[in-house]
Amino acid sequence: MDGMSHVPQNGPVIATRLVAEGAVPVGSARVNDYDSFAEAYTAVNDASLIGAYYARPAILALAGEVARRRILDAGCGSGPLFEALRDRGAIVTGFDQSAAMLDLARRRLGDDADLQLADLGSPLPFPGGAFDDVIACLVLHYLEDWTGPLAELRRVLRPGGRLIVAVDHPFVTVLANLDAGRKASYFGVSERTEEWTIGDRTALMTFWHRPLHAMAEAFTAAGFRISVISEPEPDPAARELFPDDIAAKPRFLCFLFFVLHAS
C-alpha cells in the first residue's frame, strides 16, 4: 500500500521522499521491489492509520455482505484483506507478483489458502467468469497502461460481478509534487518516483498519476459501469488510536475508491 505525505501518519510509518525526475535508471531492478522489504512493510501496513484504519475498512464497507461470494484479491500482498474477507465468509483467492509477500501471506492464512504468484500486467491464471468480485486495492496505480489489466479483471468476473478499486487520489499526488517543487499537471497521466524508508530499509517506488476522467474512461472502455465513487472517513476506531492525527484532520484525502459492475 502506498504511503502519502499529505496524510496524518502516527505510530509506525513509511517515510516518503519524492525523487527528482531522471534520477532513477530506466528498468532499475530496485524499483517496486516488495521482496526487498516485505516484512518491514507488512509490520507497518498491519497497524497503520491509512492501512488498517482507512483503506481496508473502506474496501470492506464497499464490499458489504460477502459470505459465499467468490472473491479475487488482486495484489493481495501479505494477506490482511484476504484474511478479513475470509473471516466474513467469502471464498477468497489471492495473487501477488512478490514471492516474499506471498510467503508472509501463507504464514498468516495457512498453507491451504489459495494464493498464486502472478502479475497484473500479464494474463491471469484464472478461467473466465470465475469470480463474483475482484478487489484491486492499491495496485492499479503502479501501472502505466490499464488497458490489458482491466480487460483481464473483466474477463475473470462473471457478468454483473463487481470490481472494487482503491488508487492514489489524483488530487493528492498533484499536491505532493507541488510541495516538492516539481511541475504538476492534474490532467495528464504522469509518473512519479518516491524513496520509501521503512525502519532500516529503503526502496524506490514508482507510481502513475491519472486524473479522474482518465480513470473513468479506462473503466468504461473495459466494460465496467461505475456504481460508486468514494472519499471515505477513517474507521471510528482511529479516533482513539490516533487522537492527535484525527484531531488535526478528522477527514483527509488519501485514496479514491470505486465500485464498478461488469457489463
Side-chain angles (χ1 to χ4, degrees):
M1 183 188 52
D2 178 10
M4 296 297 298
S5 60
H6 286 268
V7 179
Q9 297 183 28
N10 205 354
V13 298
I14 299 173
T16 64
R17 179 181 68 85
L18 280 173
V19 176
E21 293 183 55
V24 181
V26 175
S28 171
R30 292 185 58 233
V31 175
N32 296 350
D33 181 14
Y34 272 94
D35 285 346
S36 68
F37 60 97
E39 292 206 23
Y41 175 84
T42 295
V44 171
N45 190 37
D46 280 357
S48 71
L49 169 57
I50 61 173
Y53 298 95
Y54 183 69
R56 285 196 294 280
I59 289 286
L60 293 170
L62 291 172
E65 176 57 57
V66 295
R68 296 179 298 281
R69 293 182 72 86
R70 302 164 300 161
I71 299 180
L72 178 62
D73 186 359
C76 63
S78 61
L81 185 57
F82 186 122
E83 182 177 44
L85 292 164
R86 188 177 66 177
D87 288 347
R88 288 161 171 77
I91 304 162
V92 190
T93 296
F95 75 86
D96 202 278
Q97 67 173 3
S98 167
M101 282 292 195
L102 289 177
D103 286 343
L104 294 173
R106 289 188 183 93
R107 282 192 227 168
R108 182 196 301 266
L109 302 166
D111 290 338
D112 60 341
D114 186 0
L115 295 165
Q116 299 195 40
L117 186 67
D119 184 347
L120 186 54
S122 302
L124 297 176
F126 309 108
F131 300 101
D132 300 306
D133 302 310
V134 173
I135 295 177
C137 182
L138 308 179
V139 292
L140 284 173
H141 53 215
Y142 291 105
L143 303 173
E144 179 180 6
D145 185 359
W146 286 10
T147 306
L150 287 176
E152 275 295 278
L153 296 179
R154 172 64 188 85
R155 180 185 66 80
V156 302
L157 272 170
R158 65 169 176 80
R162 299 181 299 175
L163 173 58
I164 302 174
V165 172
V167 292
D168 282 345
H169 198 295
F171 182 67
V172 176
T173 65
V174 170
L175 287 179
N177 276 303
L178 289 173
D179 279 358
R182 294 174 56 171
K183 294 180 181 178
S185 170
Y186 173 82
F187 293 101
V189 175
S190 60
E191 184 182 29
R192 83 178 191 280
T193 297
E194 296 179 357
E195 183 182 75
W196 282 10
T197 301
I198 314 172
D200 62 353
R201 300 280 184 172
T202 299
L204 292 177
M205 308 298 293
T206 293
F207 310 93
W208 288 88
H209 161 82
R210 272 177 177 75
L212 178 58
H213 74 85
M215 297 184 197
E217 288 167 3
F219 293 144
T220 55
F224 290 101
R225 172 176 54 84
I226 300 173
S227 301
V228 176
I229 301 176
S230 177
E231 298 170 320
E233 297 183 53
D235 187 276
R239 299 183 183 280
E240 294 184 8
L241 294 168
F242 306 92
D244 294 340
D245 289 333
I246 297 302
K249 291 186 177 181
R251 285 195 79 154
F252 51 82
L253 291 179
C254 182
F255 307 127
L256 193 58
F257 299 81
F258 299 87
V259 178
L260 315 168
H261 282 81
S263 58

